[in-house]
């Protein structure tokens, strides 16, 4: 109460210059958002529907577009669960154990963030491509990774690797391992500890990480583009399909497919906001725990 | 169920958390591990719980090697310093946890679990709060949930890590009494860690004073307070005055005084450190033949006890004395007053020639003798 009472006179006496700066900063931030986020988003939908709903639907139900949707979902369905398992395992190891190379593991988890996606794609081509290190061996055993679906999955996994782990590590660090130790002393097995104590404590952060991971997995362009080979109907994911349509001067089609990705982004954003609201209140409930 | 700890050592990199610690805990005993932070008490507790393991040494329970038993199977109740309640579970679910995770063959039925949990919740006086979440409870309530949760698995050994550390002073005192009563009811072997001497002395049957990974002294609260075995215990427990003295021909030389004392027979001449409790310093306003001349610098009354701070020029230091408040008034002690100070009971640790450290092995308790005349005037 005291803070509110004392804040009021301050506000009244705040010099005009400061209020100007205040307004200016908010204005710049909002203007920036409008110009660089909302406007393009609106443009995507306007362009997609420019030639009418019929063209829009036709572009989406086109067999190549459907194949791209299917492939995008397939890649995400493989990459996201794998990265979820990896993320939880890595976060657990980073926060519960002391081991040699812990700092290295931390740096490695961040590596995909710091490497350009195109370079990460190239790495896979250099490793598994026809001229790559393992190329001859793979060919001899008739395994096709590059310019095929497995390559897309690999590249996507690499690019989206940090999302879940990075979301969990700070939370698990803050929570410590007291509750897990308490569960152990009470007689719980490793799995019981994980499912009854650890998972419920990290569930919102985990979901949040999975969501971001999924958005990136579906939207990834650079790395996927390098390993895909752009075989229509076979190795084209949604972002690649947009590019192809665009290069074919099929703007309405390109924007129609792009609108799907934009929708995905919007849904992710809504879910993320909801989770932040939900997860934030949980954090607040934890605050009086003290210490 | 006797627990034997033999020659336990535990290192963390260069830090010796436990250094050759041996201790035996009898069934039903209430033991306090008392020491400053970094003394190894929490490490010892964690080893007892099975959450940490020693580098060397043994831990047995009635001859059974406990180090081979995992924390999960040890059947130990542990109350964490910050309680470590499961934050996403209600009080009821927290308390039921240890029963619910049991393998099916040993798991009580649902009704039985509910019954036992209800009884425990009543026992820790949390009736009506079973459906609350930990975040909705006060510190003292959380503490009791943690205790109920630990008791639910019917442990053979109860371990408490700084059980009252995070509580307000008043809650702390009432919970302390309550825990003592609970122990008297259950007779459960209990070990608790604390850095608060008052807590240890009030609650425990036996106090283990630890310092730098070693046990300094084990004894009843009375022994620990009345007969501290080492300089560390003297400085850590209760208040004391520390004086540089010399033992010379069976006498104690301190400042300008050469005191005849019982208890120094056969002691070799050496420099020594002497400790005197404030209540073992007798003050008298008239000049006496023996005893240090001193000036009262400060005096304050706390309840029935007067604390007196004295300047003693011949010792080159100040001393702290305590006497009854009424006595202080009768003697008209006030700042600036001149008094004679006579130590009645000193514990002397001769300094070891080689290490230059006071040697607890050669500890002596000295009772200075004062002239009959002086004593008569004193009374």
């Amino acid at each position: 109460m005291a803070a509110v009472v004392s804040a009021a006179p301050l506000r009244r006496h705040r010099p005009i210059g400061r209020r100007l700066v205040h307004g200016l900063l908010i204005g710049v931030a909002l203007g920036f958002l409008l110009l660089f986020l909302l406007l393009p988003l609106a443009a995507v939908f306007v362009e997609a529907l420019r030639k009418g709903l019929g063209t829009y639907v036709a572009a989406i139900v086109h067999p190549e577009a459907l194949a791209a949707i299917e492939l995008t979902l397939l890649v995400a369905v493989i990459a996201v669960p794998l990265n979820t398992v990896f993320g939880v395992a890595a976060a657990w190891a980073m926060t519960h154990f002391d081991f040699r190379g812990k700092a290295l593991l931390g740096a490695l988890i961040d590596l995909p963030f710091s490497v350009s996606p195109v370079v990460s794609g190239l790495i896979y081509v250099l490793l598994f491509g026809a001229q790559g290190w393992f190329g001859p061996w793979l060919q001899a055993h008739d395994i096709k990774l590059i310019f095929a679906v497995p390559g897309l999955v690999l590249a996507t996994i690499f690019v989206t690797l940090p999302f879940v782990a990075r979301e969990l590590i700070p939370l698990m660090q803050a929570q410590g391992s007291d509750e897990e130790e308490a569960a152990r002393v009470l007689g719980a097995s490793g799995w019981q500890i994980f499912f009854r104590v650890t998972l419920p404590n990290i569930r919102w952060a985990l979901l949040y990480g999975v969501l971001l991971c999924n958005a990136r997995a579906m939207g990834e362009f650079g790395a996927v583009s390098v390993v895909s080979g752009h075989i229509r109907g076979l190795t084209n994911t949604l972002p690649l399909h947009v590019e192809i349509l665009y290069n074919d001067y099929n703007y309405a089609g390109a924007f129609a497919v792009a609108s799907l990705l934009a929708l995905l982004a919007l849904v992710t954003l809504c879910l993320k906001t909801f989770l932040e609201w939900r997860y934030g209140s949980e954090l607040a409930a934890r605050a009086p725990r003290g210490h | 169920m006797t627990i034997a700890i033999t020659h336990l050592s535990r290192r963390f990199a260069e830090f010796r958390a436990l250094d050759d610690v041996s201790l035996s805990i009898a069934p039903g005993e209430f033991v306090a591990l008392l020491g400053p932070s970094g003394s190894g008490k929490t490490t010892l507790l964690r080893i007892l719980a099975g959450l940490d393991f020693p580098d060397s040494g043994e831990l047995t329970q009635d001859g059974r090697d406990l180090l081979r038993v995992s924390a999960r199977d040890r059947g130990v109740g542990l109350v964490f310093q910050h309680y470590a309640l499961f934050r996403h579970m209600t009080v009821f679910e927290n308390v039921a946890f240890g029963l619910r995770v049991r393998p099916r063959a040993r798991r009580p039925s649902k009704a039985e679990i509910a019954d036992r949990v209800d009884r425990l919740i009543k026992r820790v006086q949390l009736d009506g709060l079973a459906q609350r979440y930990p975040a909705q409870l006060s510190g003292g309530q959380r503490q009791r949930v943690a205790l109920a949760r630990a008791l639910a698995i019917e442990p053979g050994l109860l371990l408490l890590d700084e059980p009252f550390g995070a509580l307000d002073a008043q809650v702390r005192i009432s919970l302390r009494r309550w825990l003592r009563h609970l122990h008297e009811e259950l007779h459960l072997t209990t070990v608790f860690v604390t850095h608060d001497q008052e807590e240890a002395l009030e609650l425990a049957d036996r106090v283990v004073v630890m310092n730098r990974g070693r046990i300094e002294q084990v004894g009843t609260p009375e022994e620990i307070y009345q007969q501290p075995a080492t300089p560390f215990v003297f400085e850590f427990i209760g208040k004391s005055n520390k004086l540089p003295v010399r033992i010379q021909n069976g006498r104690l030389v301190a400042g300008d005084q050469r005191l005849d004392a019982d208890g120094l027979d056969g002691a070799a001449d050496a420099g020594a450190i002497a400790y005197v409790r404030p209540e073992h310093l007798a003050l008298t306003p008239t000049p006496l033949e023996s005893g240090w001349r001193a000036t009262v610098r400060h005096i304050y009354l706390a309840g029935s006890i007067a604390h007196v701070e004295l300047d003693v020029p011949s010792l080159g230091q100040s001393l702290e004395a305590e006497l009854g408040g009424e006595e202080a008034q009768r003697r008209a002690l006030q700042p600036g007053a001149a008094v004679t100070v006579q130590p009645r009971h000193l514990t002397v640790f001769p300094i070891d020639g080689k290490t230059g450290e006071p040697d607890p092995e050669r500890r002596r308790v000295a009772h200075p003798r004062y002239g009959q005349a002086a004593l008569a005037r004193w009374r």
Side-chain angles (χ1 to χ4, degrees), chain B residues 85-280:
Chain B
L85 296 179
F86 305 126
R87 66 194 92 188
H88 60 285
M89 295 184 200
T90 61
V91 168
F92 183 94
E93 289 165 337
N94 263 283
V95 178
F97 186 89
L99 299 172
R100 287 180 173 169
V101 295
R102 281 188 185 171
R104 191 153 303 174
R106 292 196 299 118
R107 193 189 311 155
S109 72
K110 257 194 171 162
E112 209 176 314
I113 289 179
D115 188 49
R116 269 166 74 172
V117 171
D118 281 339
R119 264 186 292 141
L120 274 163
I121 288 177
K122 279 213 184 70
R123 156 151 267 159
V124 297
Q125 299 162 1
L126 290 172
D127 320 41
L129 299 181
Q131 295 313 314
R132 295 271 187 95
Y133 285 91
Q136 300 168 305
L137 301 176
S138 72
Q141 289 170 334
R142 281 181 220 171
Q143 223 265 0
R144 281 178 279 152
V145 176
L147 196 63
R149 183 177 71 175
L151 292 174
I153 60 167
E154 296 179 326
L157 173 65
L158 182 63
L159 305 173
L160 307 140
D161 188 4
E162 296 279 4
F164 314 105
L167 299 174
D168 298 339
Q170 287 189 339
V171 183
R172 196 182 292 193
I173 288 168
S174 70
L175 258 180
R176 225 191 260 171
R177 305 247 154 90
W178 177 79
L179 187 65
R180 179 76 225 180
H181 290 154
L182 192 78
H183 179 256
E184 278 157 14
E185 263 175 63
L186 298 175
H187 293 292
L188 184 59
T189 313
T190 306
V191 178
F192 75 102
V193 154
T194 180
H195 63 269
D196 182 338
Q197 44 166 311
E198 210 180 300
E199 212 167 279
L201 298 178
E202 180 182 328
L203 273 176
D205 299 326
R206 222 153 44 107
V207 178
V208 179
V209 185
M210 298 189 66
N211 179 35
R212 287 197 261 158
R214 292 181 149 271
I215 291 181
E216 293 271 339
Q217 187 175 3
V218 182
T220 64
E222 205 187 324
E223 284 166 355
I224 296 282
Y225 188 83
Q226 304 289 357
Q227 302 153 34
T230 68
F232 173 81
V233 179
F234 239 116
E235 285 173 32
F236 191 66
I237 308 240
K239 288 195 225 166
S240 60
N241 296 293
K242 182 180 177 183
L243 315 169
V245 297
R246 277 198 69 75
I247 299 171
Q248 218 166 52
N249 303 327
R251 290 174 144 198
L252 203 60
V253 182
D256 58 357
Q257 295 295 309
R258 184 175 286 268
L259 302 169
D260 267 329
D262 291 330
L264 292 178
D265 305 335
D269 289 2
I273 299 288
Y275 289 91
V276 196
R277 295 268 187 225
E279 66 265 31
H280 291 145

Side-chain angles (χ1 to χ4, degrees), chain A residues 175 178-189 192 196-197 200-201 203 285-286 288-291, chain B residues 46 49-51 71-72 76 78 80 82 84-89 97-98 100-101 135 142 149-150 153:
Chain A
Q175 290 184 341
D178 274 9
E179 286 182 46
E180 276 95 8
E181 286 187 341
R184 190 139 54 98
V185 174
L186 287 167
S189 68
Q192 283 173 324
R196 290 176 184 233
V197 178
N201 276 340
R203 60 194 159 175
R286 219 179 281 133
R289 214 170 88 96
H291 191 71
Chain B
R46 288 177 61 84
L51 292 174
R72 196 186 160 199
V76 162
L78 174 58
F80 286 72
H82 298 285
L85 296 179
F86 305 126
R87 66 194 92 188
H88 60 285
M89 295 184 200
F97 186 89
R100 287 180 173 169
V101 295
R142 281 181 220 171
R149 183 177 71 175
I153 60 167

Side-chain angles (χ1 to χ4, degrees), chain A residues 92-105:
Chain A
W92 180 280
M94 290 285 292
T95 52
H96 287 70
F97 304 131
D98 266 321
F99 53 92
R100 271 167 196 273
K102 188 164 156 175
L104 188 70
L105 177 63

